[in-house]
C-alpha cells in the first residue's frame, strides 16, 4: 500500500498537475471501490474544478465545489496519470479526466475505497474521524509520544500501526522504525522504559523524514512504489551485523527484524535469538 512518504510524493505531483482544472470526463470500471453518501454517482464531478488536494490520515482527499472525493488505497491501490487515449488497465477502478490528462485509480485487489461525500462530512467515512497524531507534525513530541506509549498494553508493533494513535505508519516503515530503535516487534509496550520510548520516537522521526526525502529524490512515476532503500523489510541480512533477518507474525502480519540488533525481551515458544549466520 502507499505509505506516508508515497502519499506525500503522490500528492505533490497531483497538485502540480491538476489543481484548478475542471473534470471533463469520468469512467467507472470497478464500482466495488466506490462509495456514495450523496445522491448520484461520479458524474456529479463533471464540470467542477479541483480546488484542493490534501492528505487526511491514510486518505488522499480531492476537493471540488461542495464535494470531496476521499480515496483510501489500502493494500494495493495506486494512482496513475495517463493520456486519455491510453487503453484501460485491467486493474483500473475508475478514472477522472482533466482535459489532456487523466487520473486513474488502479487496484489489483479491489480492496481500496473511494468515498464521494459532501465537503468535510468525515463522519460518513468509517474510521476517518478518529485519526491519531500526525507523526510529521510539530505536535509529535517526545513527551506526547511517550505519554501515548505508557497507556498501551499491546505489542509495540501493533501500537505503531494503530492509526487511531499515530497518523500513520504501515508495515514497511514499522519494521524500519523498530530496527532503527533496536526494539523487537513482539515487545510489549508496558515493558519499555522511558528511554526506550524516547528512542522509538526519535526513530520514527528519523526514518520517516529520510524516507520522504528519498522517495521524492527518485522522481519515479506516482504509481511506482519505491522500497529498495529500506534496510530490513523483505531483505535477507542485517546491514549492521550481517545476521540473517527473520520474520515474526504480529497480529496476522509479518514483521521483519534482526534477532541480534533487536533482541527479544521475553521468553516464549519460539527462540527469537536464532540468527542463522
Amino acid at each position: 500500500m502507499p505509505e506516508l512518504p508515497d502519499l506525500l510524493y503522490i500528492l505533490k505531483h497531483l497538485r502540480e498537475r491538476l489543481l484548478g482544472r475542471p473534470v471533463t470526463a469520468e469512467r467507472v470500471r470497478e464500482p466495488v471501490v466506490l462509495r456514495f453518501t450523496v445522491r448520484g454517482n461520479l458524474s456529479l464531478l463533471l464540470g467542477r474544478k479541483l480546488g484542493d488536494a490534501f492528505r487526511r490520515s491514510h486518505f488522499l482527499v480531492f476537493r471540488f465545489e461542495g464535494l470531496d472525493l476521499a480515496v483510501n488505497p489500502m493494500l494495493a491501490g495506486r494512482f496513475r496519470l495517463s493520456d486519455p487515449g491510453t487503453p484501460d488497465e485491467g486493474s483500473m477502478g475508475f478514472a477522472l479526466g482533466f482535459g489532456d490528462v487523466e487520473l486513474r485509480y488502479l487496484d489489483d485487489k479491489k480492496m481500496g475505497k473511494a468515498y464521494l461525500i459532501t465537503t468535510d462530512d468525515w463522519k460518513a467515512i468509517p474510521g476517518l474521524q478518529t485519526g491519531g497524531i500526525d507523526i510529521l507534525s510539530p505536535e509529535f513530541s517526545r513527551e506526547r509520544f511517550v505519554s501515548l506509549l505508557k497507556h498501551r498494553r499491546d505489542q509495540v508493533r501493533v501500537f505503531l500501526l494503530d492509526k487511531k494513535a499515530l497518523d500513520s505508519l504501515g508495515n514497511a516503515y514499522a519494521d524500519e522504525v523498530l530496527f532503527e530503535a533496536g526494539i523487537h516487534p513482539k515487545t510489549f509496550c508496558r515493558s519499555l522504559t522511558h528511554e526506550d520510548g524516547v528512542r522509538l520516537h526519535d526513530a520514527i522521526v528519523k526514518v520517516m523524514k529520510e524516507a520522504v526525502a528519498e522517495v521524492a529524490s527518485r522522481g519515479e512515476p506516482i504509481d511506482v512504489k519505491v522500497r529498495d532503500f529500506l534496510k530490513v523489510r523483505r531483505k535477507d541480512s542485517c546491514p549492521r551485523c550481517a545476521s540473517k533477518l527473520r520474520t515474526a507474525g504480529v497480529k496476522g502480519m509479518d514483521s521483519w527484524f534482526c534477532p541480534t540488533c533487536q533482541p527479544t525481551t521475553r521468553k516464549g515458544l519460539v527462540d527469537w535469538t536464532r540468527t542463522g549466520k
Side-chain angles (χ1 to χ4, degrees):
M1 64 175 287
E3 294 198 30
L4 183 54
D6 309 303
L7 291 176
L8 294 177
Y9 179 73
I10 292 167
L11 181 60
K12 176 180 180 294
H13 283 267
L14 294 183
R15 287 177 60 86
E16 290 174 350
R17 291 291 303 275
L18 303 179
L19 278 191
R21 304 184 69 169
V23 176
T24 55
E26 57 84 18
R27 297 199 319 286
V28 177
R29 195 172 190 273
E30 290 291 346
V32 69
V33 304
L34 290 163
R35 303 286 187 276
F36 299 96
T37 66
V38 294
R39 187 181 299 276
N41 52 41
L42 211 58
S43 65
L44 291 172
L45 297 179
L46 291 173
R48 299 183 195 237
K49 290 182 180 180
L50 180 62
D52 198 5
F54 55 93
R55 181 182 67 89
R56 184 178 172 93
S57 186
H58 43 296
F59 285 73
L60 285 189
V61 181
F62 303 91
R63 174 153 292 175
F64 303 87
E65 183 180 359
L67 294 171
D68 287 339
L69 180 66
V71 184
N72 178 4
M74 295 187 70
L75 181 65
R78 295 174 293 146
F79 298 91
R80 178 174 292 169
L81 290 171
S82 303
D83 293 331
T86 305
D88 290 351
E89 298 86 350
S91 61
M92 193 182 85
F94 64 89
L96 294 177
F98 293 85
D100 61 351
V101 64
E102 190 171 64
L103 173 61
R104 297 181 179 183
Y105 174 71
L106 315 176
D107 194 332
D108 292 327
K109 304 294 185 181
K110 302 180 182 63
M111 292 177 61
K113 300 290 184 291
Y115 296 84
L116 188 63
I117 62 175
T118 56
T119 302
D120 285 336
D121 186 19
W122 308 122
K123 66 181 182 299
I125 302 178
L128 197 54
Q129 281 188 302
T130 56
I133 183 173
D134 186 342
I135 60 176
L136 292 180
S137 72
E139 288 75 30
F140 185 61
S141 64
R142 287 174 172 176
E143 293 75 17
R144 189 164 178 185
F145 176 75
V146 171
S147 177
L148 286 173
L149 184 63
K150 71 181 182 181
H151 291 101
R152 303 290 295 220
R153 294 294 178 265
D154 44 7
Q155 293 176 353
V156 64
R157 193 174 189 273
V158 176
F159 165 56
L160 292 180
L161 292 175
D162 182 1
K163 292 178 173 58
K164 293 181 180 179
L166 304 175
D167 181 13
S168 61
L169 288 166
N171 279 315
Y173 289 105
D175 286 351
E176 298 298 300
V177 164
L178 290 169
F179 175 72
E180 180 67 28
I183 296 174
H184 193 280
K186 282 184 169 290
T187 304
F188 278 98
C189 294
R190 64 176 179 267
S191 70
L192 295 173
T193 66
H194 177 83
E195 290 72 24
D196 292 333
V198 169
R199 191 169 72 254
L200 187 57
H201 167 275
D202 292 353
I204 293 173
V205 173
K206 180 177 185 290
V207 167
M208 297 311 290
K209 285 186 174 179
E210 289 180 353
V212 168
E214 182 65 27
V215 171
S217 73
R218 298 295 185 90
E220 295 283 359
I222 61 173
D223 59 302
V224 174
K225 186 167 62 175
V226 180
R227 291 285 189 273
D228 59 346
F229 65 94
L230 298 183
K231 295 177 181 178
V232 293
R233 184 72 179 176
R234 303 192 183 282
K235 295 299 196 308
D236 294 324
S237 59
C238 176
R240 290 177 183 159
C241 71
S243 294
K244 181 177 176 59
L245 296 178
R246 297 191 62 186
T247 60
V250 180
K251 205 173 181 180
M253 293 178 286
D254 285 338
S255 176
W256 297 66
F257 70 99
C258 173
T260 301
C261 298
Q262 297 166 260
T264 184
T265 59
R266 61 192 179 97
K267 292 184 178 181
L269 296 177
V270 178
D271 179 11
W272 295 116
T273 64
R274 181 170 54 83
T275 63
K277 282 185 177 180

